[in-house]
Amino acid sequence: MSTAKLSLNGQEYEFPVIEGSEHEVAIDFTKLRAQTGAISYDPGYGNTGSCKSAITFIDGEKGILRYRGYPIEQLAEHSNFVEVCYLTIYGKLPSAAELAAFQKSLTYHTLIHEDMKKFFEGFPPTAHPMAIMSAMTVSLSAYYPDLLDPEVVDLNIARLLAKAKTLAAFAYKKSIGQPYIYPRNDLNYTEDFLHMMFAVPAEPYKVSPVIARALDLLLILHADHEQNCSTSTVRMVGSSQANLFASIASGISALWGPLHGGANQEVINMLEMIHRDGGDYKKYMDMAKDKESGFRLMGFGHRVYKNFDPRARILKKAADDVLDELGVNDPLLGIAKNLEEIALADSYFVERKLYPNVDFYSGIIYRALGIPTDMFTVMFVLGRMPGWIAQWKEMREDPATRINRPRQVYSGATERDYTPVTSR
Ligand code: ACO
């Protein structure tokens, strides 16, 4: 094993170097403070490995994304979301019997406790569905005790995956004042979600196979993305041994921000704004380059991908196919493509390696499927659920897990004496 040498205040220290299965190199600083008295300073954690993980591999320079070793392109073309859930969580592709049992479990745990409907009633009609989603997810822990017994863990995992789509659809129905539509056991995962979203009691609802397949693809592409903001949050909260539902609810809150999962909603808001403004996308490109404007090209840039985001490539093609198949002519798609084209040739974006990310085209597909803008980030929650669960499970099962507790470099006042208010 090789080592890394650090020289600090004239003294030399050696630290082990570890290598991942794809040959990524890391200096093991576990003993850094104990040996040197110093800590590492890395705001935003861009250089910090917080764990070892066998779930997802990303090579941001080459635009590679694999779940459990399987390339995202192959999974997107040949797999389905439920199988990808199993794969990410349990580490292997299921046999036909395992897949059938897993599918059945996800089908038979979709109902939420009837009392929980009262929680929905308490929210104002204007409530953002992400607020409801996060609150409802943590509330599940009030109904399903968290035990370390692996069978209970598996049961709670199935419950969470199954109920998440019911919670999401109920949140939408609440926002538009329609009655909740109960899940159906004869439909698959995505079909059942679409049914709960769009059916009304007055007439039968037939799920479009084109829409169901497109949604399934979107969910697959979002299933995991290693140690991003929301996943690290799930691990951070889970490291205190908080239960599955509480840990995942915290991930949902982290995902909500516009720099993370909230970006898909922001992309559509931005494209609509450009459209209303006569489609003058060049003006917005200039604004994005002008730091004073405070405007960013939403759906562009990524902490990890520096050449292209493979998910964005798949979605760009899917946007064309889905809109074609559904006969939707969305002017926002044209604006998005124009923005992408000029950004990819513009030195500001080229120098900073800013490329379209997964959120750039996903919103256009969601719109074509009839999913309202407010629900886009909730769709991301459904997609990311297996990844969060897999990461939480891996963290809980890893004997090396300690409660996450970063350090800081204190930059505040040094010791000073308190003066009572009367003498100030
Ligand atoms: N538009 C214009 N300029 C940008 C953009 C953008 N979308 N993204 C980054 N930049 C510029 C920054 O101003 C900075 O310029 P500088 O070096 O001259 O100061 C440089 O590119 C690097 O940007 P950082 O913010 O330091 O990069 P970071 O890795 O911290 O942020 C992030 C990545 C948050 C994704 C950023 O690119 C961004 O805000 N993008 C828009 C929001 C978005 O699409 N988020 C979704 C991310 S994917 C996901 O969560 C699913």
Side-chain angles (χ1 to χ4, degrees), residues 259-260 263 288 291 296-303 348 352 354 357-359 380:
L259 297 189
H260 194 8
K291 294 275 156 54
R296 277 196 167 194
L297 201 55
M298 297 313 284
F300 258 78
H302 199 277
R303 175 60 65 78
Y348 174 96
R352 289 169 180 76
L354 301 171
N357 59 49
V358 67
D359 291 320
F380 199 153

Side-chain angles (χ1 to χ4, degrees), residues 210-240:
V210 176
I211 295 183
R213 177 62 202 149
L215 184 56
D216 210 69
L217 171 71
L218 282 156
L219 298 181
I220 291 172
L221 295 182
H222 286 86
D224 193 49
H225 215 232
E226 50 116 311
Q227 309 312 318
N228 55 79
C229 174
S230 55
T231 302
S232 298
T233 304
V234 169
R235 278 185 177 260
M236 167 79 82
V237 173
S239 76
S240 74

